[in-house]
Amino acid sequence: METNFAFEEGSDMSYEDNDPASPSPAKLTSQGQNDNFDVEEKAEEKEEGADAPPEAIVVPSNPGAFFNVNTNATTRGDAQAYVELNELQGNIWQETSRWVGFEENLDSNTRQWGPSHVSYLTFKSLLQVRRAISRGAIIFDMNASNLSAVAEKIVDDLLGKNEIRPSDRDSLLRALLLRRSQNDGPMVTPAGDIQMQTFSVVKKRDGSDNIEASIILTGVLDLLQKPVMAFVRLSDTVVMESVLESSVPVRFILMMVGPSQCDVNYTQTGRAMGALMADWVFSLEAHLAQTEKDLTHAIADFMDCSIVIPPTEIQEKTMLESIVDFQKKMLRDRLRPSDTRLAFGDRVAALHAAPEGPKEDPLARTGYPFGGMVRDIKRRYRHYLSDYTDALNPQVLAAIIFIYFAALSPAITFGGLLADKTDKMMGVSELMVSTCVQGVIFGIIAAQPVLVIGFSGPLLLFEEAFFAFCKAQGIEYIVGRIWVGMWLIVIVIVVVAVEGSFLVRYISRFTQEIFSILISLIFIYETFSKLIKIFQTHPLILNYDHVNDSLDDPFHPIIVLHDVVVDGNVTKHEREIERPYPNTALLSMCLMFGCFSIAYFLRSFKNGTYFPGWLRRLIGDFGVPIAIFFMIAVDISIEDAYTQKLVVPKGVEVTDPKARGWFINPMGEKKDFPVWMMGACCVPGLLVFILIFMESQITTLIVSKPERKMVKGSGFHFDLLLLVTMGGISSLFGVPWLSAATVRSVTHANALTVMSKGPKPVIEKVIEQRISGIAVAMMVGVSIFMEPILKMIPMTALFGIFLYMGITSLSGVQMWDRMLLLITPKKYHPSDAYATRVKTMRMHIFTLIQILCLAILWLVKQSPFSLSLPFFLILTVPLRMFMTGRFFTTTEMKCLDADDAKVKFDDEDMEEGLVQAPI
């Protein structure tokens, strides 16, 4: 039987025929209008729960800062609702409408999408949907991976319910599987200009972290005797190729087709179904429904909260203002906080829990000695048991392997530099022992165990300067460190007693992000600096020295004897000269970039579409270890090329056993230590304290940012006391002081971060536990005995990990995002407050000021005055205060320098609002 597919537009209210000059009375106002309304957000906050507060919605008066979000109609609770309406036109399904809260319609004449607006429906269309769904095919939790399987199930159910004739089955199935056509594009004015929309469904859809789609199919099919409807809910979301205009996983499929000779307007009925599925309450009810009656009750609830406008001519838009307050009250009544069907998972328990009080400020002063430290302990130690049980996660194991190499490589690198700067009074052995012992203690006791402690560049600069001072004064350097350590303990006890860490509250995002980018740039710079040195040592030349391949180590260095004259005495000294080898520089570069590229690719692989989700996440979590092991295999397989390997000490012994032992006599090793110097050591002690204070506290601020959603608290006071006290005691054993290492800590937090699913993942939580920090510290210590294995690791592979850490730690840094906006056209700017509520030029000026500060800090670091770097960093705090109110308004600074990435404004700051539900 030949099927004739026909489509009739016969709708007296077809949105395609509407004159754009006569918009819906409920349409969003344009930029020049003032009839805007405030947003009611409190009801939404109740439904969203305390763990995931809704985004603050602000519509500013600045024409370039529009960002409209229909908070009531878009967020279902567990996912964002995206809806597409496809109408049967001839022999194709044409996409004609789409929703993410607001609705956008396709203009049939220009084939362009019109501006977003609040859905306006006919009362008759809602009644028709409710009537049709009571006798249609209702399929819950269907297991299907494509539209063909869904279509077959629909027609079979309709046939089983005698809604269609047996002869209609194949024709209806063919109709449902006809080709689809999607359109996308900006709205174009008659003058040919692209019109910027106040809200974009596409932008909101693509910017959502967790989104589920609903497909609606409506249209005229004259082969049927009567209209038929189907509602399908899939058991799991599925990305169906060529069904939607973007790769959004599908949860619901709705269909309503029928003959033209009936009292059904398929266009308006489809739009009614679209508005239903875009509404978060109905979408959640549909997600939880078990019977057809549940769906009809949900439609009735939707209708109860919809407003019917009588057939009266509206003279002015101001006449609609009274509707807004009335609608707000209806929305508040609709939420029904006691209804457990609107809660699931952790939200059910939240309904019965006591309301959460205001979040405790860890930097607030208590007014009594050591009050801040006591609060740190109470806040964190109530989660102590979960700090171990939460570690039972494969992602933690991946983080341990990753951070082990990230901690081992700096320990060896800085240890070698330290031995060189201090004439081997301290070196690799001392630094690895210090990293192990202090790391284990810190992991067990600390209030913020996500921090990774280690040696840093500023501390290396101090050790070099203090060694030079002691050498010039004829004082034993290793003994002087003991008295510096004693003063460190005194200073930190005084500071913690008076709750001095409260000063950290003045270190805003402005300073934090300058410091964060500085440390990231140091890692990136050092990576390329080491690679350049390899090229200088092993240049690309035509002829190389012949290598004797019969030797056990053909790549052995050349030992050269040279004379050193001291006080007229000539002494023979040995000096190693590393010869240039062919292919070394190129292979080193390949290993470095290869390790970085594999790790970076696998980092994003977990959010891709290949393999099952659990396998993707497993591969992504172990991306860095996989990259390292792969590069080791490549290096081993190329036997005829030399690469520098990791150098690890053999056994536990001090770097220079002739000069010192594992315990240092505070009164002097080889001669008495001057008494006056014991007191004078308070000056270098204060300097070391400032170094540790600044680096550790800023690192804690960066790791504990609100957008990371860490819930177990931090330890500004207690962790500082623990770190500095351990450093002071460690001076007795002649091992280096440690501080919280910024890049390693941020990388550790990133490795423990759980991201949401969806096109643009966001942070869900951080696995806050102690096992990874303890395990990494212990593995660094055990590495002293793993010299035969670790010496196979090429150093350039670890350079790639350095580069990976430096680049990935830039992710999520607002200053870095704004630096990229300097070369990004305005139409591609994000919807964040710093880009929407602040004029673009003002935002760029603020960014350039930060870049200038960063450049000054870099110059200081490279200069002979590098020891003063912390003081220059502190100067950014009063600079930020000076700019507020003089160069930038308070509102601008709130947007550009807020502690939380999601800026929230008080009600009096809101100048415009939105209508929140269909009228």
Side-chain angles (χ1 to χ4, degrees):
M1 178 176 125
E2 184 177 348
T3 305
N4 179 29
F5 300 117
F7 174 76
E8 297 185 4
E9 294 184 314
S11 171
D12 55 349
M13 290 188 64
S14 173
Y15 62 90
E16 293 185 348
D17 295 332
N18 283 348
D19 185 356
S22 304
S24 159
K27 190 183 244 185
L28 291 176
T29 57
S30 65
Q31 297 175 5
Q33 295 167 345
N34 295 321
D35 48 336
N36 302 293
F37 317 110
D38 293 336
V39 179
E40 183 65 45
E41 295 179 27
K42 294 181 180 178
E44 176 70 10
E45 290 178 359
K46 291 180 182 178
E47 193 62 33
E48 285 293 298
D51 291 338
E55 178 179 315
I57 309 302
V58 179
V59 184
S61 58
N62 182 358
F66 275 115
F67 177 60
N68 298 348
V69 180
N70 186 346
T71 55
N72 182 69
T74 57
T75 305
R76 192 181 74 202
D78 63 333
Q80 190 95 338
Y82 170 65
V83 185
E84 278 190 15
L85 169 62
N86 292 265
E87 295 191 50
L88 188 59
Q89 297 182 358
N91 289 333
I92 66 169
W93 289 100
Q94 174 65 52
E95 181 190 1
T96 56
S97 297
R98 59 192 182 191
W99 289 259
V100 178
F102 293 121
E103 179 181 357
E104 287 181 359
N105 305 129
L106 182 70
D107 191 307
S108 59
N109 297 320
T110 63
R111 311 306 295 177
Q112 299 291 336
W113 289 100
S116 305
H117 60 84
V118 176
S119 295
Y120 50 95
L121 311 173
T122 63
F123 189 68
K124 180 179 179 181
S125 65
L126 286 171
L127 291 176
Q128 288 173 337
V129 171
R130 184 180 179 185
R131 189 183 308 118
I133 209 168
S134 63
R135 61 174 184 267
I138 309 299
I139 305 169
F140 292 124
D141 300 327
M142 179 180 177
N143 187 11
S145 59
N146 54 64
L147 189 60
S148 301
V150 176
E152 288 190 16
K153 179 65 174 174
I154 288 175
V155 295
D156 288 340
D157 275 35
L158 290 173
L159 184 61
K161 298 184 72 170
N162 294 322
E163 289 294 304
I164 61 173
R165 296 168 296 183
S167 59
D168 296 337
R169 181 192 181 280
D170 293 340
S171 299
L172 177 57
L173 180 60
R174 283 197 296 272
L176 293 177
L177 298 179
L178 286 174
R179 183 170 59 89
R180 277 151 183 79
S181 175
Q182 283 91 20
N183 290 273
D184 202 352
M187 184 176 180
V188 181
T189 64
D193 300 324
I194 295 178
Q195 178 174 332
M196 299 302 294
Q197 301 179 20
T198 60
F199 175 89
S200 170
V201 166
V202 173
K203 287 183 180 179
K204 186 61 182 173
R205 177 197 67 202
D206 296 342
S208 300
D209 62 300
N210 188 14
I211 190 165
E212 293 180 356
S214 300
I215 305 172
I216 299 173
L217 306 173
T218 62
V220 175
L221 201 58
D222 281 323
L223 61 90
L224 299 177
Q225 289 183 318
K226 61 179 181 179
V228 293
M229 182 176 181
F231 175 93
V232 179
R233 182 182 69 205
L234 301 180
S235 60
D236 195 9
T237 55
V238 178
V239 176
M240 298 183 178
E241 298 295 333
S242 303
V243 174
L244 300 173
E245 67 180 44
S246 65
S247 298
V248 178
V250 177
R251 172 71 72 177
F252 298 100
I253 301 167
L254 289 80
M255 178 216 69
M256 186 168 185
V257 294
S260 57
Q261 302 300 321
C262 65
D263 189 25
V264 174
N265 186 322
Y266 296 101
T267 296
Q268 294 303 319
T269 303
R271 292 182 61 247
M273 290 190 287
L276 282 166
M277 297 310 302
D279 177 73
W280 79 266
V281 175
F282 179 85
S283 180
L284 181 56
E285 294 269 19
H287 186 76
L288 302 174
Q290 299 297 322
T291 64
E292 299 174 8
K293 189 172 292 186
D294 291 339
L295 287 177
T296 56
H297 287 338
I299 296 176
D301 174 77
F302 181 90
M303 295 173 66
D304 288 344
C305 294
S306 299
I307 298 174
V308 178
I309 299 179
T312 304
E313 182 179 358
I314 300 174
Q315 301 291 338
E316 297 178 358
K317 292 183 180 180
T318 55
M319 300 176 69
L320 294 173
E321 291 183 1
S322 59
I323 296 176
V324 177
D325 292 333
F326 177 62
Q327 185 197 39
K328 287 180 181 179
K329 181 180 182 302
M330 296 178 68
L331 293 175
R332 284 194 297 269
D333 295 341
R334 182 191 192 194
L335 290 177
R336 303 188 307 278
S338 60
D339 191 345
T340 57
R341 292 180 303 110
L342 296 182
F344 49 91
D346 295 336
R347 299 175 189 270
V348 176
L351 289 174
H352 307 289
E356 185 178 346
K359 191 173 181 180
E360 183 182 8
D361 182 4
L363 294 172
R365 304 189 72 179
T366 62
Y368 54 88
F370 299 100
M373 184 193 74
V374 172
R375 287 203 308 177
D376 286 347
I377 295 173
K378 289 181 178 179
R379 185 189 312 113
R380 181 69 195 207
Y381 275 33
R382 66 170 178 261
H383 302 291
Y384 195 82
L385 181 61
S386 67
D387 284 340
Y388 293 93
T389 58
D390 290 349
L392 302 176
N393 189 308
Q395 189 169 342
V396 175
L397 177 60
I400 291 173
I401 300 174
F402 171 22
I403 301 302
Y404 165 64
F405 289 105
L408 177 65
S409 183
I412 294 173
T413 304
F414 280 122
L417 294 173
L418 192 59
D420 182 57
K421 304 294 185 184
T422 63
D423 286 348
K424 296 185 178 180
M425 296 301 293
M426 289 191 300
V428 177
S429 295
E430 290 83 0
L431 186 51
M432 292 181 71
V433 169
S434 180
T435 302
C436 173
V437 176
Q438 294 190 49
V440 170
I441 296 174
F442 188 84
I444 295 174
I445 302 177
Q448 182 51 279
V450 174
L451 297 179
V452 176
I453 63 173
F455 201 67
S456 63
L459 288 174
L460 177 64
L461 295 174
F462 172 82
E463 297 285 6
E464 181 182 4
F466 188 64
F467 177 81
F469 171 79
C470 291
K471 188 175 182 180
Q473 298 296 323
I475 299 172
E476 289 184 298
Y477 157 76
I478 201 69
V479 178
R481 292 184 77 258
I482 295 178
W483 293 101
V484 173
M486 296 302 103
W487 278 109
L488 274 176
I489 296 175
V490 173
I491 294 171
V492 75
I493 289 175
V494 172
V495 170
V496 173
V498 300
E499 300 180 287
S501 290
F502 85 94
L503 295 171
V504 176
R505 67 168 60 251
Y506 297 108
I507 303 177
S508 66
R509 181 185 287 266
F510 178 81
T511 302
Q512 295 172 36
E513 296 192 332
I514 291 174
F515 180 75
S516 179
I517 292 183
L518 175 66
I519 301 299
S520 297
L521 290 180
I522 290 175
F523 267 69
I524 297 171
Y525 171 81
E526 291 297 331
T527 298
F528 286 100
S529 174
K530 289 179 173 63
L531 183 63
I532 290 172
K533 287 180 180 179
I534 292 176
F535 271 85
Q536 291 172 345
T537 307
H538 305 278
L540 305 180
I541 56 179
L542 181 60
N543 295 312
Y544 294 87
D545 292 339
H546 179 71
V547 178
N548 186 356
D549 58 2
S550 63
L551 298 176
D552 292 336
D553 182 14
F555 301 112
H556 66 278
I558 300 174
I559 306 298
V560 178
L561 295 177
H562 65 102
D563 296 334
V564 177
V565 180
V566 179
D567 298 331
N569 298 320
V570 179
T571 307
K572 295 287 187 180
H573 281 250
E574 293 182 351
R575 183 174 60 187
E576 290 185 357
I577 299 178
E578 190 173 6
R579 292 177 294 170
Y581 296 118
N583 303 319
T584 294
L586 293 177
L587 179 58
S588 297
M589 183 176 67
C590 291
L591 292 175
M592 188 187 88
F593 285 110
C595 193
F596 165 77
S597 300
I598 293 173
Y600 197 83
F601 169 76
L602 294 180
R603 178 175 182 260
S604 58
F605 182 79
K606 67 167 68 175
N607 298 318
T609 57
Y610 302 107
F611 300 120
W614 66 269
L615 183 58
R616 283 200 314 270
R617 289 188 291 273
L618 187 65
I619 294 174
D621 292 338
F622 284 87
V624 173
I626 290 173
I628 293 175
F629 294 142
F630 188 78
M631 288 300 105
I632 293 174
V634 171
D635 183 65
I636 293 175
S637 65
I638 305 176
E639 298 179 355
D640 294 335
Y642 166 78
T643 54
Q644 182 185 358
K645 301 300 190 294
L646 195 62
V647 180
V648 183
K650 299 178 181 179
V652 181
E653 62 177 17
V654 296
T655 303
D656 187 0
K658 298 178 182 179
R660 50 157 294 189
W662 277 114
F663 181 80
I664 311 300
N665 185 354
M667 307 310 296
E669 282 283 293
K670 298 179 180 179
K671 57 182 178 180
D672 292 337
F673 191 76
V675 177
W676 67 269
M677 191 60 190
M678 296 178 185
C681 281
C682 66
V683 177
L686 179 61
L687 184 56
V688 175
F689 176 78
I690 293 174
L691 288 171
I692 298 177
F693 180 89
M694 290 295 293
E695 189 160 11
S696 298
Q697 302 293 51
I698 291 179
T699 300
T700 304
L701 284 172
I702 294 172
V703 169
S704 304
K705 281 183 178 178
E707 52 261 39
R708 290 191 185 276
K709 301 177 182 177
M710 301 176 79
V711 297
K712 295 185 180 180
S714 54
F716 289 95
H717 308 272
F718 181 69
D719 288 352
L720 179 67
L721 178 67
L722 179 61
L723 262 178
V724 178
T725 302
M726 286 193 304
I729 296 174
S730 69
S731 302
L732 290 168
F733 303 97
V735 297
W737 303 300
L738 304 180
S739 68
T742 306
V743 171
R744 279 161 272 177
S745 299
V746 172
T747 306
H748 188 208
N750 291 342
L752 296 172
T753 298
V754 178
M755 305 298 291
S756 63
K757 301 177 183 178
K760 292 189 177 181
V762 296
I763 295 174
E764 280 189 351
K765 65 175 182 178
V766 175
I767 305 174
E768 301 175 67
Q769 41 73 49
R770 298 178 182 272
I771 295 298
S772 59
I774 297 172
V776 166
M778 294 177 66
M779 290 170 67
V780 170
V782 173
S783 299
I784 299 176
F785 306 99
M786 296 170 58
E787 187 263 345
I789 299 175
L790 294 177
K791 71 179 182 180
M792 295 190 300
I793 301 176
M795 280 296 295
T796 48
L798 298 183
F799 294 166
I801 298 305
F802 271 36
L803 181 61
Y804 172 85
M805 292 166 60
I807 291 179
T808 55
S809 61
L810 293 173
S811 176
V813 178
Q814 187 192 104
M815 177 183 167
W816 177 252
D817 295 337
R818 284 188 278 104
M819 289 169 65
L820 297 179
L821 293 184
L822 290 170
I823 56 174
T824 304
K826 185 177 179 180
K827 62 181 179 180
Y828 298 117
H829 285 194
S831 55
D832 297 300
Y834 64 81
T836 56
R837 289 185 64 95
V838 181
K839 292 181 179 179
T840 303
M841 183 55 65
R842 305 279 293 167
M843 176 185 69
H844 289 339
I845 292 174
F846 185 84
T847 304
L848 291 173
I849 292 174
Q850 283 187 297
I851 294 175
L852 179 61
C853 294
L854 179 64
I856 294 173
L857 290 174
W858 182 267
L859 293 175
V860 171
K861 173 195 169 294
Q862 299 292 97
S863 72
F865 306 101
S866 54
L867 206 58
S868 60
L869 181 66
F871 298 104
F872 280 86
L873 183 63
I874 291 174
L875 291 178
T876 61
V877 176
L879 174 62
R880 189 266 187 201
M881 296 178 179
F882 178 78
M883 292 191 302
T884 305
R886 292 178 174 86
F887 297 101
F888 298 94
T889 65
T890 304
T891 302
E892 287 175 334
M893 292 301 287
K894 188 172 185 179
C895 296
L896 294 165
D897 197 35
D899 291 333
D900 196 341
K902 300 294 183 183
V903 184
K904 296 184 180 182
F905 296 89
D906 298 332
D907 292 341
E908 58 267 20
D909 292 334
M910 296 184 179
E911 300 174 358
E912 299 181 63
L914 304 171
V915 181
Q916 295 184 332
I919 295 182

